[in-house]
Amino acid sequence: MCYCEKTIKRTLNSIIYQTYKPHEVIIVNDGSIDQTEQIIKNYKNLIPGLILINHSVNLGQGQARDTAINKSTGEYLAFIDSDDIWKKNKLSKQIQFMEKKLLYFSFSS
């Protein structure tokens, strides 16, 4: 069960303040039973390209990621969990690194 309402705002704010603006932001609400869905909906006008997909029941992290991958149309994929926070230049640094090294995959902690 997902109880993300306490952390999701910080996560969404860290996406908003990225120096590299994502083409789309796909959020899979994996069966949360708190106010997570409403909080995400409140960000609809703040995050261009925000797509909210709701699983009616919790299917787990793997299935939630598969759902997002299947919906995505962008050139790059980046995963962030509801309790993660990105530094403002995380995406720009990572994409620049990947393009410089001709990589198709990278990760960071």
Side-chain angles (χ1 to χ4, degrees):
M1 211 66 59
C2 179
Y3 299 96
C4 304
E5 68 184 3
K6 293 180 180 170
T7 58
I8 193 70
K9 287 181 185 179
R10 291 184 335 168
T11 302
L12 294 171
N13 286 331
S14 78
I15 293 170
I16 288 171
Y17 296 119
Q18 286 299 296
T19 55
Y20 179 94
K21 300 300 180 193
H23 165 73
E24 62 192 1
V25 175
I26 301 168
I27 300 175
V28 179
N29 180 19
D30 195 29
S32 67
I33 58 172
D34 58 10
Q35 294 300 308
T36 300
E37 181 180 355
Q38 187 55 49
I39 293 168
I40 296 166
K41 286 180 178 179
N42 291 341
Y43 277 77
K44 187 74 171 154
N45 293 328
L46 299 172
I47 302 176
L50 186 134
I51 299 166
L52 173 60
I53 301 168
N54 286 300
H55 286 171
S56 58
V57 296
N58 181 272
L59 300 176
Q61 186 179 46
Q63 186 59 49
R65 291 194 192 291
D66 285 347
T67 298
I69 290 168
N70 290 329
K71 183 70 175 175
S72 69
T73 63
E75 183 177 357
Y76 299 104
L77 293 172
F79 297 108
I80 186 169
D81 294 325
S82 62
D83 60 349
D84 293 342
I85 299 171
W86 284 341
K87 292 184 179 183
K88 69 178 184 174
N89 58 356
K90 183 258 196 245
L91 290 178
S92 61
K93 279 186 165 185
Q94 193 166 10
I95 290 170
Q96 183 179 36
F97 173 80
M98 290 173 62
E99 289 177 346
K100 181 179 179 183
K101 301 287 187 178
L102 302 175
L103 299 173
Y104 294 100
F105 175 83
S106 68
F107 66 93
S108 61
S109 60

